[in-house]
Amino acid sequence: MQRTELVIFDCDGVLVDSEPLAAAVLAEALRELGFAADEAFVYRHFLGKSVATMRRIFAEELRWELPADFVDGLLPRLQRRFRDELRAIDGMAGLIRGLNVPCCVASSSSPDRLHLALELAGLLPLVTPHVFSATMVPRGKPFPDLFLLAAERMGAAPGRCVVVEDSEAGVQAGCAAGMRVIGFTGGAHAASPAHRAMLEAAGASAIAASAAELPALLGLGEQ
């Protein structure tokens, strides 16, 4: 195993337990448009993917055109839900404080959503300014662009980066970037054996069910 130079965390479902909240808000908004959707549909099609990718999936695969102002209308609803219910994943703050290598965040979420989620969870001071959004690259996950950008900006070789991801698209992106990927199932949406199997099939080299399991899997103490 090469020496780890950088740990790259996804945000939603890894640092903050936001995926059930976001899925509920999105499914509700889609139903209001007359599109039959529930949280399971949202997870299946959009977990870990950017807004641009979501629009492409609707247009090309689902043959449904989202209104131009759909995302703008969605954000305030999501922000209200976050302010009422969002919490950090247990143990992540302590894990980040204890790392002996640099870390950053690379997420499919928009910068505004990222900033709010990290701020509400009390994690923003621990990762600022090293927060990267899929809006900064041409292609979102499962393409490697975002992780490669994060590594470049942080001055780390891709082969010496470790990614912590909760989604199939995120694991695929990390693997495509030539990075070691640890699948994370500590979020409320990811606890099932099926989710773990999905992450393993996507290429995760190990699975952590909690923040407490990550230090040993990161292997930083051996450096």
Side-chain angles (χ1 to χ4, degrees), residues 23-213:
V25 169
L26 178 55
E28 180 182 58
L30 290 172
R31 289 194 297 271
E32 291 173 2
L33 291 177
F35 189 96
D38 57 12
E39 285 85 343
F41 171 88
V42 172
Y43 291 145
R44 185 166 62 254
H45 290 280
F46 307 125
L47 184 66
K49 297 174 182 176
S50 67
V51 168
T53 300
M54 180 180 73
R55 285 193 176 278
R56 182 188 59 75
I57 290 172
F58 264 106
E60 297 178 6
E61 299 178 20
L62 301 174
R63 304 298 180 183
W64 183 280
E65 196 70 33
L66 288 174
D69 62 350
F70 179 76
V71 173
D72 290 339
L74 196 66
L75 187 58
R77 298 167 67 162
L78 186 62
Q79 289 173 335
R80 287 194 294 272
R81 192 76 181 264
F82 276 13
R83 292 185 189 282
D84 289 340
E85 302 179 47
L86 186 66
R87 300 290 182 272
I89 296 287
D90 288 345
M92 280 298 178
L95 173 70
I96 293 172
R97 291 190 185 98
L99 290 176
N100 60 5
V101 298
C103 73
C104 66
V105 177
S107 169
S108 294
S109 292
S110 67
D112 288 347
R113 173 175 161 175
L114 264 174
H115 187 279
L116 178 65
L118 292 168
E119 181 179 46
L120 291 173
L123 300 175
L124 189 60
L126 303 180
V127 294
T128 300
H130 307 306
V131 179
F132 305 98
S133 163
T135 60
M136 303 167 70
V137 293
R139 304 176 301 175
K141 305 171 188 178
F143 295 100
D145 304 30
L146 180 58
F147 288 134
L148 292 174
L149 173 71
E152 179 184 3
R153 295 280 182 89
M154 298 294 292
R160 294 186 175 179
C161 297
V162 180
V163 171
V164 182
E165 262 288 354
D166 71 303
S167 73
E168 180 182 37
V171 172
Q172 291 170 338
C175 292
M179 302 175 180
R180 183 162 67 93
V181 184
I182 297 173
F184 188 75
T185 60
H189 68 293
S192 71
H195 196 95
R196 178 189 182 100
M198 177 183 69
L199 298 180
E200 290 174 333
S205 64
I207 304 292
S210 67
E213 295 181 11

Side-chain angles (χ1 to χ4, degrees), residues 11-36:
C11 182
D12 298 291
V14 172
L15 298 181
V16 300
D17 206 1
S18 56
E19 292 294 7
L21 307 179
V25 169
L26 178 55
E28 180 182 58
L30 290 172
R31 289 194 297 271
E32 291 173 2
L33 291 177
F35 189 96

